[in-house]
Amino acid sequence: MLVLSELGQELKTAREQKGLSLDDLQKITKIQKRYLEAIEKGDYSQLPGEFYTRAFIKSYAESVGLDFKSLAEQYPGDMPKVERQHIETRVTPPDGSENEQAPKKLRRSAVRVNNWSSLINKAIIVVFVLIGVMIIYILVTQFAGHQSTSPSDQNNTNSVQYKADSTSQSSSKSHTSDSSSTESSDTSSEQTLKKDKQEGNITTYTLSGTEKFDVVVTAATANQAWFQAKDNQTGQTIAEGTASKTGQESYHFDASKVQSLSLKFGNAPGTELKINGKKVAIPSQSTVQTMIINFSK
């Protein structure tokens, strides 16, 4: 016959002081009566494993008004030890019946693997999202650049060559005797307006093969054509205005002393530009256009 353990004796004494029988305690704790008797006797071999033994003792103690933590410190020898490295768990009904499922071992390494898998999955999702954003950005940038480039500019040559008008000036009739020696004319020279590059609505050209840089801006349609001409190096405004069919139809100025001329048009499709008497096509895909003409004498 087993002798009651010190822990079991204290639990039993507390139960009797509460006026509870083992049957009463079974109803309160939902633990089978035979397990309660085994706890009082200290015969833990009758209980379903150390983990449940400890849980049953805790439920017993709390039901009779004892502090489980204090009991564990007071009777460490009577308290079953629970292995922390590998915990064997069983799914057992609250009443402690024998209808148990197969045990499962929970390992910390498995938990760590699950955590890593979750982090890796999240990282993969973030990478795919970033790739998608980059692809969308590249497509939008390319589409915007394609829209800003005039198709007509791609078909045209990069330079326009034409001959400047030859003008003859005769001397005054009062000096008829020297007319043959003083009569002169500008030699016909070939000038070139070469397109160097285009970035968005800004196009850069080089004007060469001429000493003249005569500019005329005219309204080509019924709509007003605003423009501004500035020295691209100093920022000084050379000419500015709005050409229109109903007002001042054209503006004429000399830019021969300017090394780099910036021409900004507010209505490019409705503006006509002539340089040294020859019409120059303005990139007109967009309404606002800027032409930078570098004058190489």
Side-chain angles (χ1 to χ4, degrees):
M1 180 177 179
L2 291 173
V3 180
L4 293 176
S5 65
E6 292 183 2
L7 174 61
Q9 181 62 56
E10 183 164 346
L11 290 171
K12 181 178 180 181
T13 301
R15 173 177 62 79
E16 292 175 347
Q17 289 178 353
K18 289 282 187 179
L20 300 173
S21 65
L22 288 173
D23 291 329
D24 296 332
L25 194 59
Q26 177 178 266
K27 294 178 181 179
I28 295 171
T29 62
K30 307 301 180 183
I31 301 173
Q32 288 188 12
K33 180 179 178 181
R34 62 192 180 94
Y35 291 153
L36 298 174
E37 291 177 341
I39 290 172
E40 290 182 351
K41 293 176 181 179
D43 185 10
Y44 300 148
S45 63
Q46 302 299 318
L47 290 131
E50 293 180 346
F51 177 79
Y52 283 100
T53 299
R54 194 177 181 90
F56 289 169
I57 293 174
K58 184 175 185 297
S59 180
Y60 188 129
E62 291 175 349
S63 299
V64 297
L66 296 177
D67 181 60
F68 173 73
K69 185 176 180 181
S70 298
L71 290 175
E73 294 174 353
Q74 187 176 356
Y75 304 107
D78 293 339
M79 193 66 63
K81 308 296 182 185
V82 178
E83 180 62 40
R84 293 182 179 273
Q85 296 297 325
H86 301 289
I87 301 174
E88 182 175 313
T89 60
R90 297 182 180 182
V91 181
T92 306
D95 59 1
S97 63
E98 294 299 330
N99 185 19
E100 300 175 355
Q101 297 181 358
K104 296 181 180 179
K105 291 184 178 180
L106 301 178
R107 294 180 176 86
R108 293 182 180 179
S109 60
V111 175
R112 286 195 293 268
V113 169
N114 291 335
N115 290 338
W116 275 109
S117 298
S118 177
L119 290 174
I120 291 173
N121 290 336
K122 291 179 180 178
I124 291 174
I125 293 174
V126 171
V127 170
F128 276 108
V129 170
L130 291 176
I131 291 174
V133 171
M134 290 178 63
I135 291 173
I136 293 173
Y137 174 77
I138 292 171
L139 291 176
V140 170
T141 302
Q142 291 181 346
F143 179 77
H146 177 73
Q147 288 294 323
S148 64
T149 303
S150 172
S152 60
D153 292 339
Q154 298 175 358
N155 296 327
N156 293 335
T157 58
N158 287 334
S159 63
V160 179
Q161 294 185 351
Y162 54 91
K163 292 184 177 181
D165 293 338
S166 297
T167 58
S168 298
Q169 294 180 347
S170 60
S171 60
S172 172
K173 291 183 180 180
S174 60
H175 302 282
T176 56
S177 61
D178 298 329
S179 60
S180 59
S181 61
T182 59
E183 182 178 357
S184 64
S185 63
D186 292 339
T187 59
S188 177
S189 61
E190 187 176 348
Q191 66 181 22
T192 304
L193 182 64
K194 180 182 178 182
K195 183 169 75 173
D196 298 324
K197 64 179 179 178
Q198 180 170 354
E199 297 178 351
N201 63 347
I202 300 176
T203 310
T204 303
Y205 296 86
T206 297
L207 176 64
S208 60
T210 180
E211 297 292 328
K212 297 169 54 180
F213 195 176
D214 187 73
V215 182
V216 178
V217 178
T218 307
T221 64
N223 295 326
Q224 293 183 340
W226 175 87
F227 85 100
Q228 182 185 56
K230 297 176 67 174
D231 187 325
N232 199 41
Q233 293 182 334
T234 64
Q236 180 180 1
T237 300
I238 299 172
E240 182 178 17
T242 302
S244 64
K245 295 291 185 179
T246 58
Q248 184 172 344
E249 189 171 352
S250 64
Y251 287 81
H252 182 196
F253 58 91
D254 181 15
S256 58
K257 295 183 180 180
V258 178
Q259 293 184 354
S260 180
L261 178 67
S262 173
L263 289 169
K264 185 173 184 180
F265 303 100
N267 178 17
T271 304
E272 180 182 280
L273 172 65
K274 287 184 179 181
I275 295 178
N276 295 334
K278 295 297 182 179
K279 184 177 179 181
V280 177
I282 303 174
S284 58
Q285 184 67 21
S286 301
T287 301
V288 178
Q289 290 290 324
T290 298
M291 296 176 63
I292 296 176
I293 303 176
N294 296 318
F295 187 27
S296 177
K297 297 182 180 181

